[in-house]
Amino acid sequence: MSAARRREVISALRRGTVPATGLDLFAVGLERFENALDEELSAVTTGGAVFKAVRGEYGSGKTFFARWLAERAKRRGMAVSEIQISETETPLHRLETVYRRLTERLATASHPPSALREVIDAWFFTLEEDVLAAGAGDLDAGVAELMEQRLAAVAKSTPAFAAALRGYRGARLAEDNATAEALLAWLGGQPNVAAAARRAAGVRGNLDHFGALGFLQGLLTVLRDCGHPGLLVVLDETETLQRVRSDVREKALNALRQLIDEVDAGRFPGLYLLITGTPTFFDGQQGVQRLTPLAQRLATDFTADPRFDSPRSVQLRLAGFDLPKLVQLGSAVRDLYAAGSAHPSRVMNRVDDPYVETLARAVTGNLGGQVGVAPRIFLRKLVDGVLDRVEEFDDFDPRRDYTLTVSSAELTFVEREAAAPSLRAASVDDVELDLP
């Protein structure tokens, strides 16, 4: 790992967030999924399509799993997009909003979000290269003809996508940057694009729920032609659907069922669709079970022992952390930190495996003994409270000089619930009141 990537990973852990890169260096407990997922990614890059669901309690590592899989997808040249489902920002029943978030979060191995502009420009560059290689005399006419051929299947169902691409290229050639920018935003599903730009491309209105699927199909075509053989889309935190109005929930569940059916029907070659949720979302009556066709598509027979879960099933179950895994995770992070430290031997000697276990037990104890919700705060304390001080201060000994403290303000809601007994006020004098 480069020094820059190592620094990004350590900084994210220090803040208590999931790093965007480098997750394979401390992915504990995911080894059993690697072969099956790599097979599915290979199938996607050769024109297949895959749907997968990941279930796990809060703190079991669903977001970590999704980003770990995204890194593996990027190494295969795929584009990725992670979308947080929420009632207000990204309602699942409005696929036009989901598509807009997809393009806003679109990333590749070489381009961070949003990579939509780079992808489309790379596509036109690829078309030009193909036309020149074919020996065409008129470059512009050759590119226009080849573009029509590549988008023929998409244009049948969503002619507006192809029209907007034509308009974007025409505006770029005419050096009309304002129109080009507006059409690029329209291709990304953005609302309120200037009417003059839309008229210039011959398109009308804004993207709607049904048009979003056609735009996704067009985006997959563009990605494939410019060297990205697939797209991983992560719909994270789908359990939030349980907290919305019943009519909105049913629309969202039906939209998810529609997406799965379209993937199975082969409409989206090159798409890997991954959703994450809690067990109550998949098994409860306020979630998947509320829509029988969706429940049938996601049905997975989990045995009592997670060791025998098949990684090829439509649902994957994350068992969460136990203490040995938590210690293994902490040791891996310690090793990563030491590799970029100015004093690696000091870090390794003073934060040895026995101390990492001691800290893991202490953090878990402050969270009511619930190891599953401990990884985030444990890694934050390890990096910010221990490793940083060991590196900075020659005379700092964590066994002697560090006392673990866990306050309510630094915990998430789930962590706070787990830590409730240890954070409970000893007397009325300990209760803070926010008075005007």
Side-chain angles (χ1 to χ4, degrees):
M1 173 175 282
S2 67
R5 289 185 66 204
R6 184 185 298 109
R7 186 166 54 250
E8 290 176 3
V9 169
I10 296 299
S11 295
L13 297 177
R14 186 181 293 119
R15 295 189 303 268
T17 59
V18 177
T21 61
L23 302 184
D24 55 314
L25 297 177
F26 50 97
V28 174
L30 301 182
E31 301 83 0
R32 63 195 185 96
F33 299 121
E34 288 182 353
N35 291 336
L37 294 178
D38 285 344
E39 289 175 2
E40 292 175 347
L41 290 173
S42 295
V44 167
T45 58
T46 55
V50 171
F51 170 80
K52 207 80 168 181
V54 175
R55 60 189 280 154
E57 297 289 354
Y58 289 104
S60 61
K62 297 186 295 297
T63 299
F64 186 98
F65 177 94
R67 294 183 182 175
W68 170 77
L69 181 60
E71 282 203 339
R72 302 182 78 83
K74 285 180 181 179
R75 285 200 291 269
R76 294 172 177 267
M78 295 174 61
V80 302
S81 183
E82 179 184 332
I83 305 166
Q84 304 292 325
I85 298 300
S86 70
E87 179 181 3
T88 56
E89 297 294 326
T90 315
L92 186 54
H93 70 286
R94 298 182 64 87
L95 290 182
E96 67 273 24
T97 304
V98 174
Y99 174 81
R100 182 165 73 246
R101 296 287 180 260
L102 186 159
T103 59
E104 291 171 351
R105 300 299 304 161
L106 186 68
T108 65
S110 55
H111 296 289
S114 165
L116 181 62
R117 176 196 300 278
E118 289 77 10
V119 165
I120 290 179
D121 287 347
W123 185 63
F124 280 116
F125 178 78
T126 302
L127 294 182
E128 292 174 358
E129 290 290 303
D130 290 346
V131 170
L132 291 174
D138 189 333
L139 179 62
D140 291 342
V143 169
E145 181 180 355
L146 185 57
M147 180 176 65
E148 297 301 328
Q149 295 174 6
R150 299 283 174 86
L151 290 174
V154 178
K156 290 179 181 178
S157 58
T158 316
F161 188 88
L165 282 174
R166 294 189 207 100
Y168 175 76
R169 174 172 168 76
R172 288 292 300 272
L173 293 175
E175 298 185 356
D176 184 355
N177 293 329
T179 299
E181 292 289 337
L183 290 174
L184 182 67
W186 197 80
L187 283 167
Q190 297 293 334
N192 306 319
V193 173
R198 287 187 272 116
R199 283 197 300 271
V203 296
R204 296 183 300 175
N206 294 322
L207 184 63
D208 60 17
H209 176 89
F210 299 102
L213 296 178
F215 271 46
L216 176 57
Q217 191 176 6
L219 179 61
L220 288 168
T221 299
V222 169
L223 285 168
R224 183 171 59 250
D225 286 350
C226 67
H228 302 291
L231 170 65
L232 169 67
V233 175
V234 178
L235 303 181
D236 201 10
E237 299 183 3
T238 54
E239 66 270 6
T240 57
L241 297 179
Q242 299 173 102
R243 300 192 291 271
V244 303
R245 293 197 326 262
S246 59
D247 59 327
V248 174
R249 184 188 309 123
E250 290 175 1
K251 290 179 182 178
L253 293 173
N254 190 61
L256 182 57
R257 191 271 313 159
Q258 182 183 5
L259 274 173
I260 296 173
D261 286 351
E262 296 284 6
V263 169
D264 289 341
R267 181 177 179 183
F268 303 119
L271 177 64
Y272 194 122
L273 180 62
L274 176 75
I275 69 170
T276 73
T278 58
T280 55
F281 170 70
F282 291 106
D283 300 335
Q285 290 304 314
Q286 299 304 313
V288 168
Q289 300 303 315
R290 192 177 184 89
L291 184 65
T292 301
L294 179 60
Q296 292 171 345
R297 288 157 177 75
L298 294 177
T300 304
D301 184 17
F302 290 112
T303 62
D305 193 338
R307 292 181 304 163
F308 304 117
D309 290 353
S310 172
R312 293 184 173 88
S313 299
V314 67
Q315 278 193 59
L316 300 181
R317 175 169 56 170
L318 298 183
F321 278 85
D322 55 18
L323 190 62
K325 286 182 181 178
L326 193 61
V327 174
Q328 183 183 353
L329 174 63
S331 297
V333 170
R334 186 260 335 269
D335 294 347
L336 180 64
Y337 191 102
S341 172
H343 306 284
S345 59
R346 183 197 304 171
V347 170
M348 296 298 295
N349 290 334
R350 296 186 186 176
V351 192
D352 54 14
D353 289 349
Y355 178 77
V356 172
E357 181 176 355
T358 299
L359 183 62
R361 290 183 182 277
V363 172
T364 302
N366 274 266
L367 296 176
Q370 299 185 36
V371 183
V373 300
R376 188 192 73 87
I377 196 68
F378 164 64
L379 292 179
R380 186 175 187 180
K381 295 296 182 182
L382 176 64
V383 173
D384 185 50
V386 177
L387 292 172
D388 283 347
R389 296 177 184 179
V390 168
E391 182 182 43
E392 292 175 17
F393 305 105
D394 179 59
D395 57 344
F396 179 81
D397 186 342
R399 288 181 169 85
R400 180 192 64 216
D401 302 317
Y402 179 71
T403 301
L404 175 68
T405 58
V406 179
S407 66
S408 176
E410 63 184 321
L411 300 180
T412 65
F413 173 78
V414 175
E415 292 165 349
R416 199 175 299 123
E417 288 293 303
S422 61
L423 296 177
R424 187 175 293 124
S427 69
V428 292
D429 295 329
D430 295 331
V431 179
E432 295 184 6
L433 299 178
D434 186 13
L435 299 177

